[in-house]
Amino acid sequence: MQNHSATRDRVSELTHEIRNQSEPFRRIVEQVNHVLVGQEKLVHRMLIGLLANGHLLIEGVPGLAKTTAVASLAKAINTGFQRLQFTPDLLPADLIGTQVYRPQDQTFVVQKGPIFSNLILADEINRAPAKVQSALLEAMQERQVTIGGETFTLDDPFLVMATQNPVEQEGTYQLPEAQTDRFMLKVIVDYPNRDEELRILQRMSKTAAKFDIQAVTSPAEILSARELVDEIYVDSKVQNYVVDLVMATRQPEAYGLNLGELIMFGGSPRATINLTLAAKANAFLASRGYVTPADVKEIAMDVLRHRVMVTYEAEAENRTSESIVSEILNHIATP
């Protein structure tokens, strides 16, 4: 009983701290909204990636302001930013750097690539071949890069936000499963509705539309907020709910779901970790010191959609990973 009381007191204290420390993130949203119209979900997911130290994969057809969204976020944070345009002729060295020979003293020196920054916009990542996509793996997971046998640690925060066109488009390569699993969230960006389209027309139909975005927070504030995210309370019932959701993607029959023939691979333990972290970040943005099942449910689709691989049978039945994840979310009882 005493432990329960101490936990409740700590959660209350944490909620008060979060209310104060979440203010910079509200300011970021305000600044980004000076440019973007109707992309509230995308902005929210980018903030979750920042808070939970996880990378984002943003998918949508060209022209939906995916690149603008990431660039605007970078401007609102006083930190390093690099935009990398992925093309079919890109080489791994163009990304991480290489060793350069200096004839004057007959030595090799390391020339660091653009990956050495804080926020990385990997634009149209699926237009580059697999060897370039693989060059990102070590940087994304280990937060380090190896060049010529020497290992360099990347700056903190380090966040990759990659945009991709739908795979059916001309000149695109499908990302390997090992690569997509490195992304905490996969966010699908859709067309704006009619009212939003009208506001875009009114705001953007100029030959040189310029927007003044102020830097309203710093890397130090983000790292400080992450410490609070780590402390956010997750009840055992919510933990079990997270585990059940992920386990249902691997062993659907154990949960009374007839999906076994439709799922090739389910979510890995990384999915469990990422779903918990993203739910904690969602609670932080809602100024709460504890995670609710609603936090988990809100973010689950973006965490799981790229981790559930469907079989040929599923494709024959026009079933997608999204429809399977939706069925699991609707079936597993919320605590």
PDB file of all heavy atoms in Angstrom, residues 34-49:
ATOM      1  N   HIS A  34       3.205  27.658 -38.885  1.00  0.00           N
ATOM      2  CA  HIS A  34       3.310  28.868 -39.716  1.00  0.00           C
ATOM      3  C   HIS A  34       3.480  28.491 -41.187  1.00  0.00           C
ATOM      4  O   HIS A  34       3.156  29.265 -42.077  1.00  0.00           O
ATOM      5  CB  HIS A  34       4.509  29.723 -39.286  1.00  0.00           C
ATOM      6  CG  HIS A  34       4.318  30.400 -37.969  1.00  0.00           C
ATOM      7  ND1 HIS A  34       5.344  30.988 -37.267  1.00  0.00           N
ATOM      8  CD2 HIS A  34       3.209  30.582 -37.210  1.00  0.00           C
ATOM      9  CE1 HIS A  34       4.882  31.498 -36.139  1.00  0.00           C
ATOM     10  NE2 HIS A  34       3.577  31.261 -36.092  1.00  0.00           N
ATOM     11  N   VAL A  35       4.016  27.292 -41.418  1.00  0.00           N
ATOM     12  CA  VAL A  35       4.282  26.835 -42.788  1.00  0.00           C
ATOM     13  C   VAL A  35       3.298  25.760 -43.221  1.00  0.00           C
ATOM     14  O   VAL A  35       2.702  25.837 -44.289  1.00  0.00           O
ATOM     15  CB  VAL A  35       5.727  26.281 -42.896  1.00  0.00           C
ATOM     16  CG1 VAL A  35       6.001  25.789 -44.314  1.00  0.00           C
ATOM     17  CG2 VAL A  35       6.733  27.333 -42.501  1.00  0.00           C
ATOM     18  N   LEU A  36       3.122  24.746 -42.382  1.00  0.00           N
ATOM     19  CA  LEU A  36       2.301  23.595 -42.758  1.00  0.00           C
ATOM     20  C   LEU A  36       0.816  23.864 -42.571  1.00  0.00           C
ATOM     21  O   LEU A  36       0.424  24.602 -41.674  1.00  0.00           O
ATOM     22  CB  LEU A  36       2.678  22.375 -41.919  1.00  0.00           C
ATOM     23  CG  LEU A  36       4.029  21.713 -42.198  1.00  0.00           C
ATOM     24  CD1 LEU A  36       4.126  20.426 -41.423  1.00  0.00           C
ATOM     25  CD2 LEU A  36       4.243  21.443 -43.668  1.00  0.00           C
ATOM     26  N   VAL A  37       0.034  23.219 -43.405  1.00  0.00           N
ATOM     27  CA  VAL A  37      -1.424  23.262 -43.268  1.00  0.00           C
ATOM     28  C   VAL A  37      -1.930  21.825 -43.186  1.00  0.00           C
ATOM     29  O   VAL A  37      -1.646  21.000 -44.057  1.00  0.00           O
ATOM     30  CB  VAL A  37      -2.087  23.975 -44.470  1.00  0.00           C
ATOM     31  CG1 VAL A  37      -3.604  23.871 -44.381  1.00  0.00           C
ATOM     32  CG2 VAL A  37      -1.655  25.433 -44.548  1.00  0.00           C
ATOM     33  N   GLY A  38      -2.652  21.513 -42.119  1.00  0.00           N
ATOM     34  CA  GLY A  38      -3.352  20.236 -42.004  1.00  0.00           C
ATOM     35  C   GLY A  38      -2.475  19.006 -41.880  1.00  0.00           C
ATOM     36  O   GLY A  38      -2.865  17.924 -42.293  1.00  0.00           O
ATOM     37  N   GLN A  39      -1.285  19.148 -41.311  1.00  0.00           N
ATOM     38  CA  GLN A  39      -0.426  17.967 -41.106  1.00  0.00           C
ATOM     39  C   GLN A  39      -0.179  17.755 -39.610  1.00  0.00           C
ATOM     40  O   GLN A  39       0.937  17.435 -39.186  1.00  0.00           O
ATOM     41  CB  GLN A  39       0.916  18.142 -41.845  1.00  0.00           C
ATOM     42  CG  GLN A  39       0.800  18.216 -43.346  1.00  0.00           C
ATOM     43  CD  GLN A  39       0.507  16.865 -43.979  1.00  0.00           C
ATOM     44  OE1 GLN A  39       0.145  15.915 -43.298  1.00  0.00           O
ATOM     45  NE2 GLN A  39       0.648  16.771 -45.285  1.00  0.00           N
ATOM     46  N   GLU A  40      -1.241  17.917 -38.798  1.00  0.00           N
ATOM     47  CA  GLU A  40      -1.096  17.822 -37.340  1.00  0.00           C
ATOM     48  C   GLU A  40      -0.538  16.466 -36.909  1.00  0.00           C
ATOM     49  O   GLU A  40       0.323  16.390 -36.034  1.00  0.00           O
ATOM     50  CB  GLU A  40      -2.448  18.055 -36.631  1.00  0.00           C
ATOM     51  CG  GLU A  40      -2.949  19.488 -36.672  1.00  0.00           C
ATOM     52  CD  GLU A  40      -3.695  19.814 -37.968  1.00  0.00           C
ATOM     53  OE1 GLU A  40      -3.850  18.902 -38.811  1.00  0.00           O
ATOM     54  OE2 GLU A  40      -4.091  20.994 -38.134  1.00  0.00           O
ATOM     55  N   LYS A  41      -1.020  15.394 -37.532  1.00  0.00           N
ATOM     56  CA  LYS A  41      -0.560  14.057 -37.149  1.00  0.00           C
ATOM     57  C   LYS A  41       0.923  13.882 -37.435  1.00  0.00           C
ATOM     58  O   LYS A  41       1.672  13.345 -36.609  1.00  0.00           O
ATOM     59  CB  LYS A  41      -1.376  12.986 -37.881  1.00  0.00           C
ATOM     60  CG  LYS A  41      -0.962  11.576 -37.501  1.00  0.00           C
ATOM     61  CD  LYS A  41      -1.688  10.518 -38.326  1.00  0.00           C
ATOM     62  CE  LYS A  41      -1.092   9.146 -38.079  1.00  0.00           C
ATOM     63  NZ  LYS A  41      -1.677   8.095 -38.915  1.00  0.00           N
ATOM     64  N   LEU A  42       1.369  14.347 -38.592  1.00  0.00           N
ATOM     65  CA  LEU A  42       2.774  14.218 -38.957  1.00  0.00           C
ATOM     66  C   LEU A  42       3.659  14.982 -37.971  1.00  0.00           C
ATOM     67  O   LEU A  42       4.682  14.461 -37.506  1.00  0.00           O
ATOM     68  CB  LEU A  42       2.999  14.724 -40.384  1.00  0.00           C
ATOM     69  CG  LEU A  42       4.449  14.781 -40.874  1.00  0.00           C
ATOM     70  CD1 LEU A  42       5.117  13.417 -40.764  1.00  0.00           C
ATOM     71  CD2 LEU A  42       4.512  15.296 -42.302  1.00  0.00           C
ATOM     72  N   VAL A  43       3.272  16.206 -37.637  1.00  0.00           N
ATOM     73  CA  VAL A  43       4.041  17.022 -36.687  1.00  0.00           C
ATOM     74  C   VAL A  43       4.095  16.327 -35.325  1.00  0.00           C
ATOM     75  O   VAL A  43       5.152  16.246 -34.688  1.00  0.00           O
ATOM     76  CB  VAL A  43       3.436  18.441 -36.553  1.00  0.00           C
ATOM     77  CG1 VAL A  43       4.170  19.244 -35.477  1.00  0.00           C
ATOM     78  CG2 VAL A  43       3.488  19.174 -37.889  1.00  0.00           C
ATOM     79  N   HIS A  44       2.952  15.803 -34.905  1.00  0.00           N
ATOM     80  CA  HIS A  44       2.878  15.086 -33.622  1.00  0.00           C
ATOM     81  C   HIS A  44       3.819  13.880 -33.615  1.00  0.00           C
ATOM     82  O   HIS A  44       4.548  13.636 -32.644  1.00  0.00           O
ATOM     83  CB  HIS A  44       1.426  14.644 -33.390  1.00  0.00           C
ATOM     84  CG  HIS A  44       1.215  13.914 -32.099  1.00  0.00           C
ATOM     85  ND1 HIS A  44       1.168  12.539 -32.031  1.00  0.00           N
ATOM     86  CD2 HIS A  44       1.054  14.363 -30.829  1.00  0.00           C
ATOM     87  CE1 HIS A  44       0.977  12.166 -30.777  1.00  0.00           C
ATOM     88  NE2 HIS A  44       0.904  13.247 -30.024  1.00  0.00           N
ATOM     89  N   ARG A  45       3.841  13.119 -34.699  1.00  0.00           N
ATOM     90  CA  ARG A  45       4.700  11.938 -34.774  1.00  0.00           C
ATOM     91  C   ARG A  45       6.178  12.331 -34.819  1.00  0.00           C
ATOM     92  O   ARG A  45       7.035  11.610 -34.293  1.00  0.00           O
ATOM     93  CB  ARG A  45       4.353  11.085 -36.001  1.00  0.00           C
ATOM     94  CG  ARG A  45       2.930  10.528 -36.009  1.00  0.00           C
ATOM     95  CD  ARG A  45       2.616   9.714 -34.757  1.00  0.00           C
ATOM     96  NE  ARG A  45       1.399   8.953 -34.883  1.00  0.00           N
ATOM     97  CZ  ARG A  45       0.224   9.289 -34.353  1.00  0.00           C
ATOM     98  NH1 ARG A  45       0.108  10.395 -33.642  1.00  0.00           N
ATOM     99  NH2 ARG A  45      -0.843   8.506 -34.498  1.00  0.00           N
ATOM    100  N   MET A  46       6.500  13.455 -35.441  1.00  0.00           N
ATOM    101  CA  MET A  46       7.895  13.909 -35.463  1.00  0.00           C
ATOM    102  C   MET A  46       8.354  14.260 -34.047  1.00  0.00           C
ATOM    103  O   MET A  46       9.484  13.953 -33.656  1.00  0.00           O
ATOM    104  CB  MET A  46       8.054  15.116 -36.394  1.00  0.00           C
ATOM    105  CG  MET A  46       7.911  14.769 -37.857  1.00  0.00           C
ATOM    106  SD  MET A  46       8.496  16.062 -38.994  1.00  0.00           S
ATOM    107  CE  MET A  46       7.437  17.437 -38.582  1.00  0.00           C
ATOM    108  N   LEU A  47       7.479  14.870 -33.270  1.00  0.00           N
ATOM    109  CA  LEU A  47       7.815  15.202 -31.882  1.00  0.00           C
ATOM    110  C   LEU A  47       7.988  13.930 -31.051  1.00  0.00           C
ATOM    111  O   LEU A  47       8.864  13.859 -30.180  1.00  0.00           O
ATOM    112  CB  LEU A  47       6.735  16.093 -31.260  1.00  0.00           C
ATOM    113  CG  LEU A  47       6.595  17.498 -31.859  1.00  0.00           C
ATOM    114  CD1 LEU A  47       5.528  18.286 -31.113  1.00  0.00           C
ATOM    115  CD2 LEU A  47       7.909  18.250 -31.829  1.00  0.00           C
ATOM    116  N   ILE A  48       7.161  12.926 -31.316  1.00  0.00           N
ATOM    117  CA  ILE A  48       7.308  11.645 -30.610  1.00  0.00           C
ATOM    118  C   ILE A  48       8.671  11.030 -30.931  1.00  0.00           C
ATOM    119  O   ILE A  48       9.367  10.522 -30.044  1.00  0.00           O
ATOM    120  CB  ILE A  48       6.158  10.680 -30.969  1.00  0.00           C
ATOM    121  CG1 ILE A  48       4.897  11.098 -30.205  1.00  0.00           C
ATOM    122  CG2 ILE A  48       6.517   9.229 -30.659  1.00  0.00           C
ATOM    123  CD1 ILE A  48       3.677  10.283 -30.493  1.00  0.00           C
ATOM    124  N   GLY A  49       9.080  11.090 -32.195  1.00  0.00           N
ATOM    125  CA  GLY A  49      10.403  10.594 -32.578  1.00  0.00           C
ATOM    126  C   GLY A  49      11.513  11.321 -31.838  1.00  0.00           C
ATOM    127  O   GLY A  49      12.462  10.698 -31.345  1.00  0.00           O
TER     128      GLY A  49
END
